[in-house]
C-alpha cells in the first residue's frame, strides 16, 4: 500500500455526512489556509468554505486527491504564501516542519488551535512554542475549545463563544473577523501568555463544582458514620439487635435530607453574611473577602446539589410502604392488637402533625424543583434581573423556611424527651436544624423595616459618612 | 480621607475577577467614551476593550489612578471630545453635569443606559430628560436590560438581545454596530418616545404570568372553600365529627387535581374557539377579538401552572400510604374484619377500575411532563414548526383526554348515587369535569373530516365567498 | 365589498401586537423589496425595517393603504426595479405573475422563502421552478424554516440558524449579509439543487426519533404479548383464574423497566462495538459501517426514550401500595395469619435484599435523570468536551451498572427455581438482563489497562503497522 493510496483512503473516511459540500468560491473572496488534514483541519476547512472563504490546505502530499470539494491542496510553502491567515491544525510534536517555512510565514497570522492530552504536558504553552519556532509570524491562540464535531454541526448545538489571545492586536482582529463570519463570537483574553490557560480549558472537569461536591461528600460521609454509630451500632451494642439492613434505605433516607437542608442553608448563608458586612461597613464599594467571594460564586452549585439530595429523599420516602420491613411490622402490629385484644383510638393531633409535616415537605420540594428549573441557562436567560432575583431570593428563602418547618415538625415534641439522646448524642435531624435556623433568623433581622431601609440605600450607592454634597458618578449594580 | 484616596479604594473594590485585563488597543481602533465609573461603567468599558475598542473614561477626577488596564481616563470635556459615541453610565440625578458640556457633546451619540428603581419614578423617561438637557446630541436609549454582571461574564450565560430606541436612525446604527461587536444583537424599537417602555422593562415582574397566576389562585381559593364547607364543615355540622386535619393533605389533594384539569382545559379552549371563529367567519384574515388574542398568548403559562398543580397532586397521592390516617384505618379495618368474623371477596371489577384509573393518571402525567420539557426554550428552539405543533396540539389534546378519563374513572358510578350530593352540591371532581368535557367535544367536532377539510383550507388562505379568479399574493402562516 | 376594502381590512387583521412600528429609514439605507403581503411577507418587512433597511412592498394593488408604517408600497414592476434583493413571499401557484417582470428582475437576487404543504407536492423544488420562470435572476432558497411568528418575536425564542442555497455565490453572500443584520446566522448548503431538501425540512417530523421510537414500540409490543401469554393467559389456562386486571398496572410495570433497560444498553452498545472495531482495525482513520454510524447518531434519542420508560416504571412502582389489589391482599394475609394462628419471623436477608434492590433502583434513576438533564441543549452547550464525555460515558455506564444490579437483585435466587419457567419460558426480567450484561462485560474488557492503553493510543492518531518515521499532519478528534 503506497502512501498515496493510504492517504486517499483516509480522506474518504472522514465523516462529513451531516453537511453538504460547498460550491467553490469566486476569486475575489478572502483566502484562508489550513495546515493539517486531520478531523479538525477538515472540519475547519468545510466551515470556512460554507462561510464563503476560499480555502487552501497545506499538505506534505499535495498530489493526494481533492480533500474537500471546493478547497485547494498545495504544498506547505505554496499554501503559506497564498493566504494571510493560516490555521495550524497539526499536533504539537510535528510543529518543527514549520521551521523551514520561516520565510513564507513572515508576517502571517498563525492560529494555534491545538490542545493537549493532559495539563502540564509541556513546559510552555503550544502557542508560545509555535511563536518561538516562527518568531516572524504573529501567533494567535484560539478555537481550541471547539471540537471538530461542533464545527461540522454548526453553532446551534454547540457553544458559540471562542476565546482568543495573542500579542498582536491586529492579528487578533483578523481572527475575530473570521470567527464572526463563522457564526462564532470571539472574546479577546489578552496576550499570548494566557495561551496556557486557554489550552487547559478543554481539560477542565467541572472546576466550579469541586468545592460544592467536596462539601456534599464530606457532609454525607460524616453524617453516615454518625448515624451508623448512633442507630445501628447502638442497637447492636445495647440490645444485641442486628438492624444493619437499615443502612440501605433508612440510613440513606436520613443522610439525604440532612445534607440537603444543610447545603440549602449554605447556599443562602453567604448572601446574608454579605448583607451584614455591607451594613457594618456602611458601603457597597468595598470588595468582599476572598472566601466570601468564592462562596457566593458557587451558590448555584450548592443549591443544585441540595436539590439532588432532596430528590433522593423524596424517592426514598415514597418507597417506604413497599419495603418488606414496613409491611412486616404493619402486619405484626395488627396481629398483636388482636391477640392482645387492645384497641387504638384515632389521635387528631397526630394526624394534624403528620399531615402538616408531609404537606410542608411537598410544597417545599415543589418550590425546590421550581428553583432548579429556573436555574437552567435557557430559562434564566429570558428572565429580567428583577424576575431572577425574585425567584432566587424570595422563593429561595421561602423554600428554606418550608423545609426547615418540615424538619421541625418531624422532630415535634421529641426534642424534649431524653430517651432520644442515645450515648448523649442528639439525633441527626436536630443537628441539621442549627444552620437553617441561624440563616432564617439573620434573614428575618435583615427584612425588618429599619435594617431593610439602610441596606437598600447602601445598595443604591449611598455610603455612611460620605460627603453628601459630592455627587458620585456611579450607578448601582442592581438597579 | 481625601477624595482621591476614597476613589482609589473604590476602583480597587470592583470585582473584575472572572475576566482578564485586555491589552491596550492601537491608535487606529475606534474610540468609545464612557461617562461614569460605577459598576456598569467599568463593566461596559472592560467589555469594549475586549472587543477591540479604545476606551476613554470621563471622570471628574481624571488624576485618579488608572481604572482599567488599557483604558484612558480624562476630564469630562476632553473625554467627550475624543469620541463620537458616549455611554452615559451615570445616575439620572447627576445628569445636570452634562449641561455645561453642551458644546463638546454637539452631534455626539449619547447612549442612556440608566434604569430606575421603580415605575413612574420621574415624569418623563431618563433618556428624554437627557435629550432635553443636551438638545444638540443624539440620544439613544439602550443596553439598560443588561446587568454589569452579565456584561462581565459574557453572553454565554446571559441574554444576548438588547433593545434600543432613538430619534436618529444614524445614531441608532452606530449603537447597533457596537452592540454587534460586543456579541449582542440589538433590535430597533422605534423613536425615543419608546424609552419609557424600555426603562420599565427591567422592573417587570412576570407580566405574562399575572393573568394565569390570578386564575390559578382564584380557582384554588374558590375550590378550597367549596370543599372545606362541603366536606369538613358538613361532617362537623351533621355528625359532629372533627376531621379538620384533612385540610393539610386530603383537601389539598382535591384542590390540586381540580385546578390542574381546569387550567389544562383553559389552555386548549382558546385554540378551539379560534377555530370555530375562523369557521364561522370563513376566513383567517380577520383579527381575533382582543380577549381571545391575550388568552391565546398566555396558553404556555396556563399549561405550565397546570403542570405544577399536577406535580403536587402526584406527590400528594404518592404519600397517601405513609399517612397516619390511612395506616390507622387499614389496621382498624383488618381488626374489625376479624373481630366481626367477616370475610371479603376480591372484586375484579373494582381492581380493573382502580388500576385503569391509576394507569391513565400515570400516562397522562408522563405526557404532561413531556409537554413541559418541550416548552423549555432550548428545546422548542430546535424543533421545526411542524414538530412543535405536533407536540403541543396532538399530544396536548391527548394529555387532556387521558386526564379527563382519569377523573371520570375516579367518579365511576358514584355520579348516580344521591348520597354524594351533600347539601345538594356536587363533589369537586364533578364540577371540574365540565370544562374539559366541553373542550374535548368541540375538538372532536373539529377533527371530523368535513369540518377539518374546511378549517385546513381556511388556514391555507382560502376565503369563503372570495373571488377565486383573483389570486392573492399571500402565503399561509402555518405551512 | 370592493377589492380595496377587503385588502384594507386584511392589512388591519395581521397581528403585529408584540412589536412596535419602526421609524422610516433615511434614503441612504439599503433598500430591500418584499413581494407578497401575507403574514410572512409582512413579518419579514417589519423585521427588515427594524434592522434599519428601507422596505418596499410589491403589490398588485399599490394604491391599497400603507401596510407597515415606514414601508413603501409600489406596483410589482416599480418595486422590482427599486432594489437588488427581492423576497418572494408568495405561494408557488402564483409565481407566474413574475414572468412578465422578467426585464425588471434581470440580475436581481430573488429569495424564495416558500414552503409546501406536504413532501413531493410538485415535481421540482419551488426555488428551481422560480429559477426556470425567471432565468435572468439569481434565485436563492432560504429563510423557509422561519415562521412568521418567530420573525415577529425575534430570535430569543426561536432558532437563529437559517439555511440557504443557490447557484450564485455572490447572490448568496448578499442574502447572508441581510441574515446577519437580522440577527440570524445563515449557513450555505450548496447549489440550488439542494432547495428540495431545504423545502422538505419544515415538513420533517422528528426524523432522528423514528428509529428509536420504532425500537421502543416494537420492544414494548413484543414484551407485552410475551408477558400477557406467560402470566395472564397461563393463569387462566392452568388455574382458570381471571387476573386480566393486572394488565393495567402489573403488566405495564414489567414492560416499562424491561424496555428501559434494553434501550439503555442499546444506547451504550454501539460505543463499545466501535471501540472493538477500532481495536481490530488498529486505526481510527477508517469509516465505521453505515449501520454503526446511524446507530451512534441516535444514541441520545435511545437514552431519552429509555429515561421516559424508567420514569413510568418509577410512577407505576410508587402507586403500588394504593392499589386495591395490594391493600386487599395485605389485609387477607393478616387475617389469615390470625385465623390460622401462624407467626412470622423477620428475615434480615430478605430485608437486606429488598432494601438494596430499592436503593440501587433509586440511585440508578437519580443518575438517569442527571444524564437526561445534561443532554438538554442549554446545558450541554456550556459543558467542555471533557465534561460532556465524563457525564455521558462514565456516569452513563455507572447508571447501566446500577440498573442492571437492581434487576439482578429483583431476580435474586429465583433464577434457579424451575417453577418460574412457566411453559418453559423464562420470565421477562431474565430476558432483559442479557443485553446489559453483555455490554457491561465488553466495557469491562475495554477498561482493563492493556486494552485501554491501545485504545487511547489509537484515538490519539496512532495506527498499527503505520510507518512511525512518517509524521502525520493530523490532530485527533477527541483531544
Amino acid at each position: 500500500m503506497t502512501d498515496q493510496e493510504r492517504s486517499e483512503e483516509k480522506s474518504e473516511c472522514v465523516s462529513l455526512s451531516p453537511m453538504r459540500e460547498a460550491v467553490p468560491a469566486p476569486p475575489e473572496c478572502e483566502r484562508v489556509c489550513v495546515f493539517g488534514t486531520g478531523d479538525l483541519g477538515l472540519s475547519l476547512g468545510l466551515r470556512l468554505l460554507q462561510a464563503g472563504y476560499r480555502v487552501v490546505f497545506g499538505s506534505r502530499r499535495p498530489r493526494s486527491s481533492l480533500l474537500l470539494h471546493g478547497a485547494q491542496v498545495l504544498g506547505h510553502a505554496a499554501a503559506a504564501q497564498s493566504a494571510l491567515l493560516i490555521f495550524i491544525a497539526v499536533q504539537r510534536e510535528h510543529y518543527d516542519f514549520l521551521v523551514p517555512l520561516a520565510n513564507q510565514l513572515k508576517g502571517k497570522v498563525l492560529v494555534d488551535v491545538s490542545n493537549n492530552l493532559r495539563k502540564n504536558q509541556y513546559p510552555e504553552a503550544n502557542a508560545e512554542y509555535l511563536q518561538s519556532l516562527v518568531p516572524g509570524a504573529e501567533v494567535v491562540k484560539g478555537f481550541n475549545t471547539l471540537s471538530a464535531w461542533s464545527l461540522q454541526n454548526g453553532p446551534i448545538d454547540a457553544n458559540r463563544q471562542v476565546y482568543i489571545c495573542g500579542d498582536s492586536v491586529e492579528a487578533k482582529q483578523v481572527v475575530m473577523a473570521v470567527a464572526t463570519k463563522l457564526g462564532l463570537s470571539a472574546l479577546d483574553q489578552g496576550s499570548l501568555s494566557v495561551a496556557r490557560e486557554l489550552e487547559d480549558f478543554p481539560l477542565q472537569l467541572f472546576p466550579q463544582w469541586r468545592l460544592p461536591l467536596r462539601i456534599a461528600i464530606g457532609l454525607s460521609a460524616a453524617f453516615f458514620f454518625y448515624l451508623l454509630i448512633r442507630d445501628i451500632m447502638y442497637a447492636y451494642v445495647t440490645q444485641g439487635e442486628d438492624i444493619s439492613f437499615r443502612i440501605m434505605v433508612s440510613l440513606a433516607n436520613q443522610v439525604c435530607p440532612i445534607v440537603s437542608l444543610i447545603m440549602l442553608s449554605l447556599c443562602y448563608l453567604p448572601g446574608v453574611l454579605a448583607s451584614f458586612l455591607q451594613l457594618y461597613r456602611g458601603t457597597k464599594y468595598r470588595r468582599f473577602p476572598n472566601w466570601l467571594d468564592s462562596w457566593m460564586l458557587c451558590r448555584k452549585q450548592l443549591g443544585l446539589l441540595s436539590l439532588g439530595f432532596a430528590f433522593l429523599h423524596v424517592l426514598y420516602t415514597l418507597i417506604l410502604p413497599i419495603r418488606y420491613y414496613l409491611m412486616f411490622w404493619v402486619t405484626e402490629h395488627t396481629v398483636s392488637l388482636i391477640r392482645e385484644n387492645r384497641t387504638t383510638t384515632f389521635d387528631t393531633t397526630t394526624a394534624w402533625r403528620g399531615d402538616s409535616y408531609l404537606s410542608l415537605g411537598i410544597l417545599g420540594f415543589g418550590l425546590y424543583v421550581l428553583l432548579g428549573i429556573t436555574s437552567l441557562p435557557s430559562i434564566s436567560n429570558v428572565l429580567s434581573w428583577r424576575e431572577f432575583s425574585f425567584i432566587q431570593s424570595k422563593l429561595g428563602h421561602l423554600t428554606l423556611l418550608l423545609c426547615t418547618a418540615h424538619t421541625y415538625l418531624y422532630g415535634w415534641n421529641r426534642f424534649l424527651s431524653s430517651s432520644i439522646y442515645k450515648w448523649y448524642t442528639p439525633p441527626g435531624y436536630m443537628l441539621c436544624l442549627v444552620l437553617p435556623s441561624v440563616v432564617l433568623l439573620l434573614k428575618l433581622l435583615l427584612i425588618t423595616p429599619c435594617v431593610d431601609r439602610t441596606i437598600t440605600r447602601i445598595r443604591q450607592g449611598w455610603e455612611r459618612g460620605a460627603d453628601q454634597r459630592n455627587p458620585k458618578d456611579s450607578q448601582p449594580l442592581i438597579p
Side-chain angles (χ1 to χ4, degrees), chain A residues 159-358:
Chain A
N159 201 327
R160 301 169 68 93
Q161 190 106 28
V162 291
Y163 298 98
I164 64 166
C165 71
D167 286 333
S168 155
V169 175
E170 292 87 352
K172 284 192 284 190
Q173 282 179 340
V174 169
V175 176
M176 273 176 163
V178 172
T180 307
K181 270 201 114 174
L182 295 187
L184 303 164
S185 143
L187 266 187
D188 185 353
Q189 296 295 295
S191 69
L192 202 58
S193 57
V194 187
R196 165 148 243 148
E197 240 171 81
L198 295 192
E199 285 172 13
D200 281 348
F201 181 79
L203 299 172
Q204 273 180 357
L205 197 60
F206 300 109
Q208 306 130 305
W209 285 87
R210 288 219 179 133
L211 183 63
L213 265 175
R214 275 190 204 135
I215 294 173
I217 293 168
L219 281 174
S220 304
F223 276 98
F224 178 78
F225 287 113
Y226 181 76
L227 295 171
L228 190 71
I229 291 167
R230 241 195 122 260
D231 292 355
I232 289 156
M233 286 183 55
Y234 179 86
Y236 190 76
V237 170
T238 61
Q239 292 141 47
E241 255 186 291
D242 175 15
I243 53 167
S244 61
F245 69 92
R246 290 207 196 170
I247 289 173
M248 293 312 282
V249 174
S250 309
L251 207 64
N253 199 18
Q254 281 182 281
V255 170
C256 284
I258 287 173
V259 174
S260 178
L261 189 58
I262 292 180
M263 293 195 71
L264 189 64
S265 38
L266 284 179
C267 171
Y268 290 106
L269 184 55
V272 170
L273 290 183
S275 296
F276 274 101
L277 201 61
Q278 287 183 336
L279 210 59
Y280 170 75
R281 288 170 168 179
T283 176
K284 68 160 186 167
Y285 295 104
R286 292 261 298 281
R287 195 195 259 279
F288 293 128
N290 278 338
W291 58 268
L292 190 54
D293 247 2
S294 27
W295 191 353
M296 290 182 86
L297 282 173
C298 69
R299 281 183 293 180
K300 181 176 168 183
Q301 284 76 21
L302 284 168
L304 288 175
L305 282 177
S306 166
L307 175 57
F309 279 95
F311 178 69
L312 290 180
H313 168 52
V314 168
L315 286 178
Y316 272 116
T317 305
L318 293 178
I319 51 105
L320 288 184
I322 51 175
R323 283 176 74 198
Y324 166 72
Y325 174 68
L326 198 93
M327 292 171 102
F328 182 85
W329 285 112
V330 165
T331 306
E332 279 297 285
H333 172 69
T334 314
V335 169
S336 72
L337 275 186
I338 290 171
R339 295 218 170 120
E340 299 161 18
N341 212 8
R342 281 186 293 129
T343 51
T344 52
T345 48
F346 186 78
D347 177 16
T348 307
T349 314
T350 309
W352 259 103
R353 189 210 126 213
D355 279 8
S356 306
Y357 159 70
L358 292 169

Side-chain angles (χ1 to χ4, degrees), chain A residues 276 279 445-457:
Chain A
F276 274 101
L279 210 59
L445 267 176
L446 283 176
I447 58 173
T448 51
C450 61
V451 182
D452 184 51
R453 209 179 310 124
T454 317
I455 277 283
T456 307
R457 280 166 73 201

Side-chain angles (χ1 to χ4, degrees), chain A residues 125-142:
Chain A
N126 297 352
E128 290 174 305
Y129 172 64
L130 178 61
Q131 183 71 80
S132 72
L133 288 178
V134 201
E138 310 277 17
V139 172
V140 173
K141 178 80 208 180

